[in-house]
Amino acid sequence: MLRLHLKTIPAGLAASLLCAVMAQGQSATPAPENGTFEVEQVFAGTCGFCHSDGGRAPGKGPQLMNSPRDDDFIRSRIKHGKQGAMPAFDGAFTDAQIDKIVKYIRALKPREG
């Protein structure tokens, strides 16, 4: 078990470390190619810990709705992660599933009401 003394770590760094540790502890098992891949449910269970409100708001990770990053950047970040900030999901998701996640992110709109 990783033990950190959070009082000695700046708040932003502590949040990033916690997000990375929690995300690495999550298991993302890809749906079979012939199975159903419910992207909103997968996003909520895998990405939602760091990307708040289904990616619509900043949380421990950045807001993804209206991201200025291009699709190739987002796809690469999902596959390869970012050291100390986001785990890599290459092998957890197929390329087709990652494409669906990118499409989901691009379709995000503010919630009504």
Side-chain angles (χ1 to χ4, degrees):
M1 182 74 173
L2 177 64
R3 293 180 188 229
L4 297 174
H5 295 283
L6 296 180
K7 291 182 181 180
T8 62
I9 299 174
L13 178 58
S16 294
L17 289 170
L18 178 61
C19 182
V21 168
M22 293 299 291
Q24 287 174 350
Q26 294 176 353
S27 165
T29 304
E33 283 300 313
N34 60 355
T36 302
F37 184 76
E38 298 290 338
V39 68
E40 188 170 0
Q41 182 178 357
V42 169
F43 189 94
T46 306
C47 313
F49 182 78
C50 293
H51 302 283
S52 296
D53 192 18
R56 292 173 181 86
K60 293 164 190 67
Q63 172 180 315
L64 298 175
M65 182 177 66
N66 300 323
S67 175
R69 305 291 191 163
D70 65 27
D71 290 359
D72 288 336
F73 177 91
I74 295 170
R75 190 175 294 106
S76 178
R77 183 55 55 91
I78 293 168
K79 286 182 85 161
H80 306 292
K82 180 180 179 183
Q83 187 173 359
M86 180 174 161
F89 290 98
D90 191 23
F93 299 120
T94 66
D95 286 343
Q97 291 168 334
I98 290 172
D99 287 343
K100 288 180 181 181
I101 295 168
V102 172
K103 186 175 179 179
Y104 167 83
I105 290 168
R106 290 297 181 207
L108 287 171
K109 302 287 183 233
R111 293 193 193 273
E112 293 183 20

